[in-house]
């Protein structure tokens, strides 16, 4: 059973702090990784994708990938109350038939 | 710029009734997916369609059927609804099966089975 694991949270950080969200995956065949944000009652929204080891930055978001450790993370700098949501990590193999989502981490940014 | 459109947005059924959830995408994507999401749980794949004319079971297919009507449309049918099928259903699409392609989601259908 291919799995993606996340700490369910809630993760609480003060406004302006860095929020760090972590994800591990079991399938070494996974090649692409995605972070989705899901507000309560809404659908998942893609915010970051990463395919190579290292860091990828997009505005206040940085995704980090370490394939040797089977570990993906998302850093949110200068966290805002509007960042409060559930963040879903997903992994996909190169054939697209094993797109697996983690259970999500609930983030709460406190004003 | 509609993306992925799901209908209906809300539905209440009685046990044993049948219904079809509709999904259409206007992004010319090859692959389409149906998920269910229950409180406190992640997304669970029900069925997917890698390309027009093909469908495959996901993690939780029992009690559901699907039809890939054409490249744009992928429907999910509950033949005899059960209370355990109360959930939020999401349809998603991606450009192709192979390669590094994320999925894009519709707004969801909130389904209650009484």
């Amino acid at each position: 059973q291919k799995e993606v694991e996340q700490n369910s949270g809630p993760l609480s950080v003060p406004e302006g702090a860095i929020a760090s969200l972590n994800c591990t995956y079991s399938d070494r065949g996974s090649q692409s990784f995605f972070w989705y944000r899901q507000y309560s009652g809404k659908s998942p929204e893609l915010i970051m994708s990463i395919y190579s080891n290292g860091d990828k930055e997009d505005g206040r978001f940085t995704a980090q990938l370490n394939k040797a450790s089977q570990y993906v993370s998302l850093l949110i700098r200068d966290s805002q109350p509007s960042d409060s949501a559930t963040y879903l990590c997903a992994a996909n193999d190169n054939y697209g038939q094993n797109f697996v989502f983690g259970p999500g981490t609930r983030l709460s940014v406190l004003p | 710029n509609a993306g992925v459109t799901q209908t209906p947005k809300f539905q209440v059924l009685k046990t044993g009734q049948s219904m079809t959830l509709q999904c259409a995408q206007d992004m010319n994507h090859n692959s389409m997916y149906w998920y269910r999401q229950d409180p406190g749980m992640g997304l669970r794949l029900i069925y997917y369609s890698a390309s027009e004319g093909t469908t495959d079971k996901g993690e939780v297919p029992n009690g559901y059927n699907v039809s890939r009507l054409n490249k744009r449309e992928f429907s999910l049918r509950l033949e005899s609804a059960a209370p355990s099928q109360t959930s939020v259903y999401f349809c998603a699409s991606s450009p192709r099966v192979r390669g590094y392609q994320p999925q894009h989601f519709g707004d969801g259908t909130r389904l209650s089975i009484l």
Side-chain angles (χ1 to χ4, degrees):
Chain A
Q1 182 81 10
K2 295 169 180 167
E3 295 183 339
V4 173
E5 296 184 348
Q6 299 179 253
N7 189 321
S8 62
L11 173 65
S12 295
V13 300
E15 184 175 356
I18 296 175
S20 178
L21 304 164
N22 304 316
C23 167
T24 59
Y25 60 96
S26 64
D27 182 13
R28 286 199 171 272
S30 296
Q31 296 292 326
S32 51
F33 304 88
F34 309 96
W35 283 100
Y36 288 81
R37 177 176 60 200
Q38 187 175 24
Y39 292 114
S40 181
K42 301 295 185 182
S43 61
E45 171 193 13
L46 179 70
I47 54 172
M48 289 287 288
S49 57
I50 187 165
Y51 312 118
S52 304
N53 279 329
D55 295 359
K56 179 181 178 182
E57 186 174 319
D58 183 0
R60 295 186 296 113
F61 298 98
T62 298
Q64 300 174 316
L65 173 60
N66 183 327
K67 289 186 178 180
S69 300
Q70 297 177 243
Y71 177 88
V72 190
S73 66
L74 179 70
L75 301 178
I76 306 175
R77 290 182 299 281
D78 189 22
S79 295
Q80 301 297 309
S82 58
D83 294 326
S84 298
T86 296
Y87 289 80
L88 305 173
C89 175
N92 191 18
D93 66 14
N94 195 32
Y95 298 96
Q97 294 178 352
N98 291 295
F99 203 109
V100 181
F101 283 89
T105 297
R106 189 155 54 95
L107 173 66
S108 179
V109 180
L110 307 174
Chain B
N1 197 9
V4 180
T5 302
Q6 292 183 235
T7 55
K9 295 190 183 304
F10 302 93
Q11 185 70 47
V12 178
L13 294 178
K14 295 181 179 179
T15 298
Q17 287 185 317
S18 62
M19 82 161 294
T20 299
L21 280 60
Q22 306 287 353
C23 176
Q25 52 90 11
D26 62 2
M27 297 177 283
N28 200 35
H29 285 174
N30 286 319
S31 302
M32 298 185 74
Y33 309 81
W34 276 105
Y35 292 90
R36 61 178 289 174
Q37 188 175 41
D38 301 297
M41 299 185 71
L43 292 159
R44 291 186 292 171
L45 183 64
I46 304 171
Y47 272 93
Y48 69 96
S49 171
S51 61
E52 186 179 353
T54 68
T55 61
D56 285 285
K57 295 179 179 179
E59 179 186 356
V60 289
N62 291 344
Y64 305 96
N65 285 301
V66 291
S67 295
R68 183 74 182 267
L69 304 171
N70 48 54
K71 191 172 185 178
R72 291 187 63 248
E73 298 173 288
F74 189 37
S75 63
L76 178 71
R77 183 162 178 83
L78 286 70
E79 291 291 352
S80 179
S84 60
Q85 294 177 305
T86 293
S87 189
V88 180
Y89 290 85
F90 288 105
C91 177
S93 70
S94 69
R96 56 194 170 109
V97 174
R98 287 180 168 77
Y100 308 109
Q101 304 292 340
Q103 297 184 8
H104 301 269
F105 286 82
D107 289 340
T109 294
R110 283 146 185 83
L111 182 61
S112 294
I113 315 295
L114 304 177

